[in-house]
Amino acid sequence: MNPLTIFASRFVAGEKPQDAVRAGERLHAKGIKATFDKLGEDVLDEGAAKRATDAAKDVLRLIPAGIERNISIKMSSMGQEISRDLCLENVSGILDVAKEKGGFVRLDMEGSKLTQDTLDVFHELRKRYDNVGIVLQASLHRTADDVREAVRRGDRVRLCKGAYREPSAVALQDMGEIRKAFAACAHILLDAGRYPAVATHDEELISDTIAYAAAQKVAASRFEFQMLYGLRRRRWEELVRDGYNLRIYVPFGTHWIPYFYRRLRERRENVLFVLRNVFR
Ligand SMILES: Cc1cc2nc3c(=O)[nH]c(=O)nc-3n(C[C@H](O)[C@H](O)[C@H](O)COP(=O)(O)OP(=O)(O)OC[C@H]3O[C@@H](n4cnc5c(N)ncnc54)[C@H](O)[C@@H]3O)c2cc1C
């Protein structure tokens, strides 16, 4: 049996783009949007960066009409660690296809060694494109400033906690403090952000977002929740039933191990789920 099927099928839609699109269609039928991500990161040769770029374009072309053409990409797989020019050329090519297809591209945020560079490339792209958004990680000390700057610039932000292990010089380590920072950033985005995405499975933060939006009279149409494929599926249906926009991050592809590892590290229940599947 294929190792993806044994270990990771809860978190990854499949190996082929068609698998992801089918998952997107199933979500669409339930009133849930998707963002598709061809897994891959830390590419250090130009040929591989070109192949990752072409794959992202192919996904945009494959998504059928009626389903939002929304993808998430990691720029480290598009040449970010090779050269700025190469990365800009590759990502611009993806944004051109997205524009032609009426689609949107979210630049995922990776480890802190790439934060400033990712924002610099994003700001460069924003001079020419409106169909691109960024991710900010609430656990980083710098993020409240980055959120305010994004609001000032009218950038579309996905707010998450941050999935990478970072030192205390760069990031908060205590979950209580991370939650507090997340809520503060989410409030700024709800007040004045451009269609922000609140990306978390954390019930405390989901409830806080709902309560804050209600208190400040922020219409549910002005923001969206985002969650990862396979996590908290019952909660997806409740949010949609209650009138909130919800988008699921649908990863696919053969390079699933780093993504899968981050999910296991985040939550003991994820490990137990996988072990149960393996021994079943
Ligand atoms: C759509 C999306 C995109 C993301 N993009 C990025 C990115 O670009 N860069 C990046 O660094 N990170 C990204 N992340 C990952 C993110 O940074 C966190 O690592 C990840 O979401 C875990 O944090 P959490 O807030 O969801 O909850 P956790 O901190 O994992 O959990 C906190 C609490 O939430 C509840 N909870 C969590 N999971 C479940 C569950 N399955 N069932 C029931 N309760 C649960 C529990 O009460 C738990 O104690 C993304 C996350 C999402 C959802």
Side-chain angles (χ1 to χ4, degrees), residues 188-232:
I188 299 171
L189 290 167
L190 289 168
D191 284 339
R194 179 168 160 226
Y195 194 64
V198 178
T200 182
H201 313 93
D202 193 326
E203 197 50 47
E204 208 174 303
L205 294 170
I206 295 170
S207 304
D208 179 83
T209 302
I210 291 172
Y212 187 83
Q216 301 303 314
K217 302 203 172 5
V218 180
S221 57
R222 283 197 29 222
F223 65 97
E224 68 183 26
F225 285 108
Q226 293 192 352
M227 294 194 199
L228 300 176
Y229 184 78
L231 299 183
R232 304 212 63 189

Side-chain angles (χ1 to χ4, degrees), residues 11 30-32 41 88 92 100 122 137 193 195 210 221 276:
F11 308 105
K30 295 181 172 171
I32 301 173
E41 50 201 276
L88 273 171
S92 299
E100 186 192 305
F122 172 63
Q137 299 156 323
Y195 194 64
I210 291 172
S221 57
R276 271 201 304 275

Side-chain angles (χ1 to χ4, degrees), residues 10 35 74 107-110 135 137 158 160-164 175 179 182 199-205 226-228 230-232 247-249 263 266-267 270:
R10 160 97 178 206
T35 180
K74 286 194 172 42
L107 307 181
D108 281 353
M109 190 58 85
E110 302 179 62
V135 178
Q137 299 156 323
R158 171 201 293 155
C160 65
K161 283 181 186 161
Y164 299 81
M175 186 53 85
R179 282 196 175 112
F182 189 112
T200 182
H201 313 93
D202 193 326
E203 197 50 47
E204 208 174 303
L205 294 170
Q226 293 192 352
M227 294 194 199
L228 300 176
L231 299 183
R232 304 212 63 189
R247 188 179 305 280
I248 299 303
Y249 188 100
R263 300 293 79 82
E266 265 156 18
R267 204 168 144 75
N270 291 346

